[in-house]
Amino acid sequence: MNLLRLLQQRFAPVLADYADDPAPFVSMVRPAQDTRFGDFQANCAMPLAKRHGLNPKELAAKIAEKVHLQDLCNEVEIAGPGFINLRLRDDLITSEVNRLLTDDRLGVEPPRPARTIVIDFSSPNVAKPMHVGHLRSSVIGDSLYRTLKFLGHRVISDNHIGDWGTQFGMIIYGYKNFLDNDAYTRTPVAELARLYRLVNRLSDFLEARSELPGKKRELEVAERELAATPVPPKGSKDPADKEAEKAIKKLRSQIEGLKDETASLAKKIERVETNAAELALANAHSNIARAARDETAKLHAGNAENLRLWNEFMPECLAALQGVYQRLGIQFDLTLGESWFNPMLAGVVESLKSSGMAVASDGAMCVFIEGNEAPFIVQKGDGAFTYATTDLATIQYRVGELQANEILYVVDTRQSEHFELLFKTVAKWGIAQVDLRHVNFGTVMGKDRRPYKTRDGDTVGLESLLDEAVKEARTIVDLNEAQKADKGEEPLDDAARQSVAEIIGIGGIKYADLHHARESDYVFDWEKMLAKEGDTATYIQYAFARTKGILRKNSIDPIQLLAQGAKIQLSHPAERTLAMQLLKFPEALDAVCAEYRPNQLTQYLFETANAFSAFYNDCPIKGEADEALRNSRCLLAELTGRVLGRALGLLGIQTVERM
RNA sequence: GCACCUGUAGCUCAAUGGAUAGAGCAUCGGUCUUCGGAACCGAGGGUUGGGGGUUCGAGUCCCUCCGGGUGCACCA
């Protein structure tokens, strides 16, 4: 049972006497923000009093009196300017928490209308190895998938992989010109990745070489301009001086930007120039960028050779991706890449043209959305389609074939303009009713507050990241085992340690990611991620392991206890707090789904693990003489373990019974 | 130039328009001859970037200024 919803249902009929639409006031019944104020609070009296010109405290008292609460609460207190503070009856908490013991769904009720929700996440490019940037999308998307599904929605995860884009032409070009056959036979994916990087590097080099002089000139001009600009007196309030100050600031930031740009170009040049073999290649393939684009165009046009190569590469690339997903514990219902929608693209553009939405502009077919200067390009000047076109076709398919009521895109914030245009285009296009939602997230940063990169400036590969995390976790596990040995506890064998390290390491990465509000950028910090203390996966996994340890070391079988009719009883404040926390699991999931925020669940987990640790400290089982109390505590530990395990599972994080 | 995001404790971050703004880390101090110390309890630390406004009530909504970031025509 969802206690919050139950209370809201009790308030609803009474609040209907004071407002035509009581819904917003009903939603002002909410969990108490502070335990001093009880378990729940109703904040609806103040605005309603204002509306009716009544005294808020009197109205609060009147509402509290009218709402049928006697069976739920034993204290109803009016506080402050008109808050109604509610404290649940202990017997209610006791009976509810006992009900959870035999409830597989831990009190979570199915959603009123179950919706069909497509979640689009991860979406790597098969031409490039996955990097740290794919992590957030994968982890957040997977968690939302698991959570919505557990709630009872029909959820379809779709990995919209990039298997048809421009960068695929680079691989084909590389294959045709630079292939190392032995390497390809041995490790095809690694060789393809090498080819991609090589072609990319060469084409970057050539572009940089032609751009650098111009940029340098721009920089010189800007620097001369700055030197020639008189500096206004500091703190002057004269509007003219303020303008001048602004101009100088702008020039400075422009110079900074140009310096960064020239440095980056110089680096691209240096990378190749210092390598005689690559320099020779670059000079021999001076139109490589264009040639690679042509390979893409040929592929799209159905060129037999390129299609054959594409078909040869794809299974290998997909298998490589699969390896990473397996390690992350992520599964997709569908993997419909861009190529899959290719046959539908011409039809999409036709439809947009015939409805007059798409018009030719500078040779490209564009949809112009009011208020946006930049067009939404659905077909390029050379006739090729863009990802905008693919996205439109994908929506058409998901609505038409998959019957989606809702589509979630778990994609980097930096693409928000694209989604804005996409969603507006869809609305104008008038295909069936569907809620489209960009579930955006911020950038992963290094400790230097710049996008997370290796020392050489490359993006960090996802696999090496996972390896590193597991390695770190392993040293912690070994250290801990060494300490355990002193206490004469049974040690874990090597295989068990490695498995624990894998679960702790990957869990740590996932948790660190999920516990940040998704919109904010976050700083990737190894130490914090795998720290043994604080708000980390380890802390919660440890609490879980303790719930198991408690039963194991006291030789208790909870199923047997239940069969014997044992019950949870609440005799200590720590027990009440813990029980109350367990009953809030459904609320936590509601909070996640309201705005698609997994961090609501990590927060719940941390609070629950906290409540359990306090209980563990204050309420021993071993020395307890009262058998009923002992049994009660065992059952509470067992139930806590189930909630922690389930909630971690919804985050895609595994647990171990011993660590 | 246009658009969007952002500014909260020393650091990293929370907080559906609600009460005295909370956690973790770090710092300092306590607990434990009992089930796992990867634990528990406590303390200090804040004009929520500045200034206006809306509201019974603002970190949250609106305006403005300052600082930081991102994106803007044929890459995805």
Side-chain angles (χ1 to χ4, degrees):
Chain A
M1 187 191 305
N2 187 323
L3 292 171
L4 178 60
R5 276 192 214 160
L6 178 65
L7 284 168
Q8 289 177 336
Q9 281 162 18
R10 295 291 179 87
F11 272 83
V14 174
L15 296 181
D17 294 344
Y18 296 93
D20 293 338
D21 178 16
F25 300 100
V26 170
S27 72
M28 288 178 193
V29 179
R30 41 169 299 179
Q33 199 140 59
D34 193 304
T35 49
R36 285 192 308 255
F37 306 138
D39 300 315
F40 295 91
Q41 62 182 179
N43 303 336
C44 47
M46 284 94 75
L48 283 173
K50 176 73 183 171
R51 185 184 278 204
H52 292 96
L54 300 169
N55 176 308
K57 289 189 89 160
E58 283 170 19
L59 181 59
K62 200 178 266 181
I63 290 172
E65 194 191 315
K66 281 203 217 168
V67 177
H68 175 58
L69 292 169
Q70 291 80 345
D71 55 331
L72 305 180
C73 307
N74 47 10
E75 295 168 30
V76 177
E77 177 199 37
I78 312 301
F83 295 101
I84 303 171
N85 291 339
L86 307 169
R87 189 179 156 87
L88 293 185
R89 293 168 55 140
D90 286 0
D91 57 347
L92 176 71
I93 298 175
T94 306
S95 67
E96 285 304 312
V97 84
N98 273 298
R99 273 222 318 232
L100 289 191
L101 284 170
T102 54
D103 181 1
D104 281 343
R105 291 182 54 79
L106 293 165
V108 176
E109 294 156 358
R112 288 147 298 188
R115 294 163 65 78
T116 296
I117 304 168
V118 174
I119 309 188
D120 183 323
F121 65 95
S122 196
S123 311
N125 201 302
V126 295
K128 316 177 206 171
M130 280 208 259
H131 58 82
V132 63
H134 295 108
L135 194 64
R136 294 204 89 182
S137 176
S138 304
V139 169
I140 294 170
D142 181 54
S143 169
L144 293 175
Y145 173 69
R146 290 167 185 267
T147 305
L148 289 165
K149 201 165 180 175
F150 177 68
L151 280 178
H153 292 287
R154 177 174 174 250
V155 194
I156 302 167
S157 58
D158 184 11
N159 195 2
H160 192 68
I161 54 174
D163 58 0
W164 201 244
T166 308
Q167 58 291 350
F168 223 92
M170 293 190 178
I171 291 198
I172 293 176
Y173 187 88
Y175 181 92
K176 287 179 178 174
N177 293 281
F178 311 127
L179 183 71
D180 174 347
N181 227 320
D182 286 348
Y184 182 64
T185 315
R186 266 197 321 274
T187 49
V189 177
E191 173 60 7
L192 292 178
R194 183 190 72 86
L195 290 172
Y196 168 76
R197 282 198 302 267
L198 176 61
V199 173
N200 205 28
R201 206 157 54 234
L202 298 180
S203 109
D204 277 356
F205 163 75
L206 291 161
E207 195 189 338
R209 196 166 61 176
S210 74
E211 267 185 19
L212 186 59
K215 285 287 169 198
K216 275 187 170 164
R217 273 195 301 278
E218 269 182 59
L219 179 58
E220 279 166 28
V221 168
E223 276 174 336
R224 268 203 302 274
E225 199 179 330
L226 179 64
T229 311
V231 180
K234 238 192 164 129
S236 161
K237 294 222 167 107
D238 186 335
D241 286 342
K242 279 194 150 180
E243 279 302 308
E245 218 170 282
K246 241 183 176 175
I248 286 177
K249 197 172 267 176
K250 209 183 138 191
L251 262 178
R252 286 213 177 105
S253 86
Q254 197 184 342
I255 287 169
E256 277 307 302
L258 281 168
K259 274 184 179 163
D260 282 354
E261 255 180 277
T262 49
S264 143
L265 290 176
K267 197 163 189 180
K268 283 175 181 170
I269 292 171
E270 190 199 330
R271 263 193 324 202
V272 172
E273 260 178 354
T274 51
N275 181 328
E278 285 193 8
L279 183 58
L281 287 182
N283 288 327
H285 297 262
S286 56
N287 62 345
I288 192 166
R290 197 226 171 91
R293 271 202 298 276
D294 288 346
E295 295 294 353
T296 312
K298 273 157 73 183
L299 173 67
H300 288 187
N303 174 278
E305 170 67 0
N306 283 10
L307 264 180
R308 185 187 69 72
L309 289 175
W310 186 83
N311 279 310
E312 186 180 316
F313 299 158
M314 279 305 289
E316 300 290 347
C317 295
L318 289 175
L321 289 180
Q322 194 46 44
V324 177
Y325 289 129
Q326 197 168 354
R327 196 154 178 210
L328 285 171
I330 294 176
Q331 282 184 322
F332 293 92
D333 297 317
L334 296 172
T335 299
L336 301 179
E338 292 170 342
S339 63
W340 202 81
F341 295 95
N342 188 51
M344 308 169 201
L345 302 184
V348 168
V349 174
E350 261 325 299
S351 160
L352 291 170
K353 266 163 64 179
S354 65
S355 67
M357 283 175 62
V359 294
S361 168
D362 281 359
M365 287 307 299
C366 302
V367 175
F368 287 91
I369 297 293
E370 241 174 274
N372 286 79
E373 217 171 304
F376 197 54
I377 298 178
V378 294
Q379 190 170 21
K380 300 193 275 187
D382 63 6
F385 300 108
T386 70
Y387 75 133
T389 333
T390 315
D391 280 353
L392 287 168
T394 306
I395 291 171
Q396 208 173 30
Y397 176 81
R398 287 173 177 166
V399 174
E401 300 296 316
L402 303 179
Q403 300 289 305
N405 304 118
E406 191 169 349
I407 304 174
L408 306 179
Y409 295 87
V410 185
V411 180
D412 197 305
T413 293
R414 284 173 289 195
Q415 290 191 40
S416 49
E417 269 126 317
H418 166 70
F419 284 109
E420 234 172 86
L421 288 172
L422 176 66
F423 298 165
K424 282 180 179 163
T425 302
V426 170
K428 240 173 123 179
W429 198 18
I431 61 173
Q433 189 64 41
V434 61
D435 291 332
L436 301 170
R437 172 90 189 220
H438 179 199
V439 179
N440 61 321
F441 57 82
T443 311
V444 181
M445 312 281 238
K447 270 189 162 173
D448 55 1
R449 285 238 139 233
R450 297 180 153 248
Y452 194 63
K453 295 273 171 70
T454 62
R455 278 195 205 95
D456 308 332
D458 290 331
T459 50
V460 177
L462 189 46
E463 291 203 79
S464 62
L465 200 74
L466 299 181
D467 288 340
E468 183 69 21
V470 171
K471 206 177 105 196
E472 294 274 333
R474 176 64 196 255
T475 63
I476 293 171
V477 171
D478 286 339
L479 203 70
N480 188 52
E481 284 298 309
Q483 285 168 356
K484 259 207 245 176
D486 297 343
K487 294 183 193 152
E489 289 202 45
E490 207 179 311
L492 296 170
D493 63 24
D494 187 71
R497 290 184 191 192
Q498 193 53 33
S499 144
V500 169
E502 189 86 16
I503 287 169
I504 301 281
I506 291 177
I509 290 186
K510 287 187 175 184
Y511 191 90
D513 200 317
L514 292 167
H515 106 279
H516 283 82
R518 57 177 165 72
E519 291 99 325
S520 48
D521 295 342
Y522 93 93
V523 175
F524 196 87
D525 183 343
W526 285 112
E527 274 176 49
K528 248 178 223 174
M529 226 158 34
L530 296 174
K532 301 192 289 184
E533 296 111 32
D535 190 357
T536 61
T538 315
Y539 175 74
I540 295 157
Q541 285 165 323
Y542 176 66
F544 174 86
R546 281 174 128 188
T547 66
K548 296 295 174 187
I550 230 175
L551 300 172
R552 188 174 60 238
K553 297 196 178 171
N554 289 287
S555 308
I556 304 282
D557 177 5
I559 295 171
Q560 216 174 344
L561 271 190
L562 272 179
Q564 289 164 6
K567 293 269 183 224
I568 294 175
Q569 49 177 276
L570 306 177
S571 61
H572 189 283
E575 292 171 334
R576 188 192 191 275
T577 304
L578 178 57
M580 195 59 216
Q581 187 63 26
L582 297 177
L583 290 173
K584 284 183 173 179
F585 182 52
E587 288 170 37
L589 297 190
D590 282 348
V592 170
C593 295
E595 294 286 332
Y596 306 111
R597 293 180 187 286
N599 67 316
Q600 296 284 349
L601 189 52
T602 62
Q603 197 179 326
Y604 170 78
L605 266 168
F606 183 60
E607 284 164 6
T608 308
N610 247 332
F612 174 73
S613 293
F615 157 81
Y616 184 90
N617 223 48
D618 295 345
C619 305
I621 288 166
K622 199 171 169 187
E624 179 52 57
D626 182 343
E627 188 186 359
L629 188 51
R630 223 166 42 228
N631 289 345
S632 160
R633 288 177 175 170
C634 285
L635 289 177
L636 200 46
E638 153 72 9
L639 184 59
T640 305
R642 279 178 54 215
V643 171
L644 290 176
R646 170 66 77 178
L648 280 172
L650 295 181
L651 296 176
I653 296 173
Q654 291 180 274
T655 50
V656 284
E657 301 213 350
R658 299 179 56 189
M659 56 189 275

